[in-house]
Amino acid sequence: MAVLLISLQIIIALKLKAPTGFDPGGIMNQATYTSLSSSGQSYLSRYPNNLLLFFLERLIFVLAGRPSAINFLAVLIILNIVVLDLTIIINYLILNIFNPKKIQILIFGFLSITFFVFTPWIIVFYSDTLVLLPNSILCYLLLTYFRYSNTKWYLLRGLEIGITLWFAYHLKPTSVIILLAGVIVLILSKSIRKTKIVILLLSSLILATSFIVLQQGFTQFTNQQKIVHLDCNARFTAAHFMMMGLQKTGRYSRTDVINSINQPTVSKRTAYNKKIIFQRLKAFGVKGYIKFLIKKNYYNTGDGTLGWGKEGNFLIDYYPTQHRFIKSFFYPNAQRQIYYRVFCQVIWVFVSFGILLTISISDPRILMLQLAFAGLLLFLLLFEGGRSRYLIQFLPIILMLASIGYARLADWLKHRLCSS
């Protein structure tokens, strides 16, 4: 069964493959250049959070023998599939932590196939999908932190969490939310009272040390490499993304980006961003801001396709006469895309209801997943959002909660039927 699903996954992906016109496509193109263009230098200077992804793609390009653009895209898509399929495996390990019943396994399996296997997002090699694997590993490490009560186990867990967190953070900084949720639940856990405080402090120290060592090594490599010249004054800070998150639907704003670019230094840019933030908050007022957040949350979470086709120049179809039938279901503005969108929306409503069913569950492990998901929703309300695409990074948590919710509903229905 697994071989069949993976085979179908690869066939569909390769038939749909096409370069993207937003960030993923730009990074892929720059990774293939002998020397970066000025636009590539500027992009990575403004968004240094994508540096790891750029260097990774550059390494893959070289190891693959410097293939043509379309063949390089095929290589990246295959790697994307590997990441997604490994994510499914890790998620099943997480699922087993909850001693799942058959219905929970079936629902989670169905949702995993829907969102990780038969999804057009597999043709977009970007941090949205790549971070799924380290985020899933991070969840697993935190949920099994107290599995054994020996010193070596805690010290090893600290090292594993530190390394995993570093990779996840450099793909999506929001991965820190998972760690924060895990720490909160671990502190509240009864198991912490049975563990010596010295061991926990040592584990935390190893976690922090491993993260810092990796960060210092990466910083040194970035400063010494000759592939891309970074302008330290071009960097966008968190204030820029908070500023963008306060206009219209809170999504990407070209006007805001240009205005931030026009500020000559990081300090002046941050000061400008903060000034605009206060102006927009003042213009909203309390009631207006609450209304804005409600509307923004709808745009953050309402699209079952997870923002498929919403970005500018989303797909560039170089071969419009090939594979027309399958493209007609997935390509933006294609003839049959409505079927795909309706299907995704129905599934998304199903998932959302499942998450609501977990609200009253008191299991601390489930609380960690709930806190992580709530943390992401809060982050997207405060910073750049306005697209359901930003939920992809936490899909394992979302689908896990939904399957748990329906398992609880099944138990409730069974109890009611038996009692009557």
Side-chain angles (χ1 to χ4, degrees):
M1 184 65 175
V3 174
L4 176 61
L5 288 175
I6 293 171
S7 299
L8 288 172
Q9 194 179 20
I10 293 172
I11 291 170
I12 292 172
L14 294 181
K15 287 182 180 296
L16 288 177
K17 74 176 186 296
T20 55
F22 64 114
D23 297 58
I27 295 172
M28 189 194 85
N29 289 335
Q30 295 300 327
T32 64
Y33 296 159
T34 303
S35 58
L36 265 67
S37 65
S38 58
S39 61
Q41 308 269 8
S42 300
Y43 174 84
L44 291 172
S45 295
R46 291 181 202 127
Y47 305 102
N49 58 298
N50 278 329
L51 274 172
L52 179 64
L53 179 58
F54 166 76
F55 289 133
L56 176 63
E57 290 194 33
R58 180 75 174 183
L59 177 63
I60 295 169
F61 177 70
V62 173
L63 292 177
R66 301 178 183 272
S68 64
I70 197 67
N71 288 335
F72 182 46
L73 177 61
V75 171
L76 294 181
I77 288 173
I78 296 299
L79 290 174
N80 216 19
I81 291 172
V82 170
V83 168
L84 290 172
D85 292 346
L86 288 175
T87 298
I88 293 174
I89 294 172
I90 299 298
N91 288 340
Y92 267 99
L93 292 178
I94 296 173
L95 191 66
N96 286 329
I97 295 173
F98 297 96
N99 298 315
K101 297 183 178 179
K102 187 175 181 180
I103 186 171
Q104 186 175 344
I105 296 173
L106 290 173
I107 290 174
F108 186 75
F110 168 71
L111 294 178
S112 295
I113 291 173
T114 301
F115 286 97
F116 295 142
V117 179
F118 298 118
T119 169
W121 280 108
I122 58 180
I123 70 171
V124 182
F125 189 85
Y126 193 46
S127 54
D128 295 321
T129 52
L130 294 182
V131 79
L132 289 170
L133 182 56
N135 274 356
S136 296
I137 294 173
L138 190 59
C139 284
Y140 178 78
L141 294 174
L142 289 166
L143 287 168
T144 57
Y145 188 82
F146 288 118
R147 174 170 287 181
Y148 302 109
S149 57
N150 61 72
T151 303
K152 288 183 179 179
W153 172 263
Y154 291 121
L155 300 185
L156 180 61
R157 266 294 181 264
L159 178 64
E160 292 168 337
I161 293 172
I163 293 172
T164 305
L165 179 65
W166 184 87
F167 280 101
Y169 174 81
H170 276 273
L171 290 170
K172 289 288 185 185
T174 44
S175 298
V176 173
I177 295 171
I178 298 175
L179 177 68
L180 294 177
V183 169
I184 291 171
V185 172
L186 289 176
I187 290 174
L188 297 175
S189 171
K190 294 179 181 178
S191 299
I192 199 171
R193 301 167 195 168
K194 305 173 186 177
T195 311
K196 292 182 179 179
I197 189 67
V198 175
I199 296 175
L200 294 177
L201 289 175
L202 281 174
S203 180
S204 301
L205 180 62
I206 290 176
L207 189 162
T209 302
S210 59
F211 186 95
I212 292 170
V213 168
L214 285 172
Q215 182 58 33
Q216 287 182 335
F218 185 69
T219 300
Q220 187 174 0
F221 167 77
T222 302
N223 292 336
Q224 293 179 353
Q225 54 82 34
K226 305 297 182 183
I227 304 171
V228 52
H229 173 71
L230 298 174
D231 179 2
C232 60
N233 278 319
R235 178 171 54 88
F236 286 170
T237 63
H240 164 80
F241 298 100
M242 181 173 283
M243 178 185 73
M244 281 207 302
L246 285 168
Q247 48 79 43
K248 297 181 180 178
T249 60
R251 62 187 177 93
Y252 175 87
S253 166
R254 182 171 176 79
T255 301
D256 279 352
V257 169
I258 292 172
N259 288 336
S260 287
I261 290 173
N262 289 336
Q263 310 308 312
T265 64
V266 173
S267 59
K268 290 184 178 180
R269 184 175 302 113
T270 302
Y272 165 78
N273 295 151
K274 289 180 178 179
K275 183 183 75 172
I276 300 300
I277 288 170
F278 287 121
Q279 286 178 359
R280 290 177 179 175
L281 287 173
K282 185 177 180 181
F284 276 129
V286 176
K287 289 184 179 179
Y289 185 56
I290 293 173
K291 289 180 179 179
F292 168 75
L293 291 179
I294 294 172
K295 181 180 74 171
K296 186 179 179 183
N297 189 65
Y298 166 76
Y299 285 101
N300 287 345
T301 61
D303 185 359
T305 70
L306 302 176
W308 177 254
K310 298 294 185 180
E311 309 295 343
N313 298 320
F314 194 81
L315 290 178
I316 305 168
D317 191 1
Y318 288 146
Y319 306 100
T321 60
Q322 296 181 5
H323 315 304
R324 286 182 176 178
F325 181 73
I326 191 169
K327 287 179 179 178
S328 69
F329 289 96
F330 298 108
Y331 272 39
N333 304 316
Q335 180 184 359
R336 300 179 180 86
Q337 199 198 35
I338 185 65
Y339 299 116
Y340 169 67
R341 292 195 172 278
V342 170
F343 171 76
C344 288
Q345 206 60 38
V346 171
I347 299 299
W348 194 241
V349 171
F350 176 79
V351 168
S352 301
F353 184 69
I355 294 173
L356 290 176
L357 293 172
T358 68
I359 289 177
S360 61
I361 300 177
S362 58
D363 189 324
R365 299 167 300 179
I366 297 172
L367 177 61
M368 184 194 120
L369 302 180
Q370 292 170 326
L371 287 175
F373 181 50
L376 177 65
L377 294 181
L378 179 60
F379 180 91
L380 294 177
L381 287 175
L382 296 177
F383 295 91
E384 178 190 359
R387 291 275 194 251
S388 297
R389 175 170 70 85
Y390 297 110
L391 295 180
I392 294 175
Q393 57 191 300
F394 275 33
L395 262 183
I397 291 173
I398 293 170
L399 304 187
M400 195 76 61
L401 285 172
S403 65
I404 291 170
Y406 282 109
R408 178 180 174 82
L409 176 62
D411 285 343
W412 181 81
L413 290 173
K414 184 178 179 180
H415 176 74
R416 290 289 298 239
L417 289 172
C418 291
S419 61
S420 60

